[in-house]
Amino acid sequence: MKHTMSVLVQVDLDGTHVRISVTGCVTQANQHVLHPLIRRARALTAAVHVQVDLDSVQHLEPAAVALLRAAADHGAATPGAGPVSIAVPTGPRAHPVRELPVRPLRDAAPLPALAA
C-alpha cells in the first residue's frame, strides 16, 4: 500500500510563526520527509515557533509522531532553534495525546557524534 502526504508551509510575515499543515498519511516510513522542513522553519529567526499540524491527516501512526518529536528534540540542541509543537487529531486516526507540548529549549550542549 502506498502512503502519500501533502504538506503546506505557512509563514507569518514577521517570521515568528510557521505552520506546517499535513494531509494524507503520516507513517513511520514517511515521517522523515518532514524533518528538513522543520529544520528550515526553525532557522528563519531566533523567535520562531513551529507548529506541525497533523489534525487533517487521514492516517497517523503513533510511532510516526514519536519519531517527529524525537527529531524536534534533537534539533532543539542547535543554537537559536525555536520551539516545535505537534498537533495531532482526535478520533479513530488519533494518537493518544491531543497535542504534544512545546518543550523549552535546552542548553545548546554538543551532541555526541554518531558512528557511521
Side-chain angles (χ1 to χ4, degrees):
M1 180 177 183
K2 187 175 182 179
H3 296 285
T4 61
M5 83 169 67
S6 295
V7 179
L8 172 67
V9 178
Q10 298 170 304
V11 181
D12 282 351
L13 292 177
D14 61 2
T16 60
H17 187 82
V18 175
R19 180 179 174 161
I20 301 172
S21 300
V22 183
T23 59
C25 297
V26 180
T27 66
Q28 196 171 359
N30 72 4
Q31 56 74 37
H32 70 278
V33 302
L34 298 172
H35 298 190
L37 296 174
I38 294 169
R39 276 194 308 272
R40 287 180 183 170
R42 284 179 132 168
L44 288 176
T45 65
V48 71
H49 173 261
V50 179
Q51 180 186 22
V52 180
D53 185 356
L54 303 177
D55 198 41
S56 296
V57 298
Q58 288 72 39
H59 174 73
L60 177 61
E61 292 179 357
V65 177
L67 290 168
L68 281 173
R69 178 80 261 162
D73 286 349
H74 179 75
T78 304
V84 174
S85 62
I86 301 174
V88 296
T90 59
R93 59 203 159 101
H95 185 273
V97 179
R98 173 70 180 113
E99 181 164 328
L100 299 174
V102 173
R103 296 191 179 165
L105 296 178
R106 298 182 298 250
D107 290 335
L111 295 174
L114 298 175

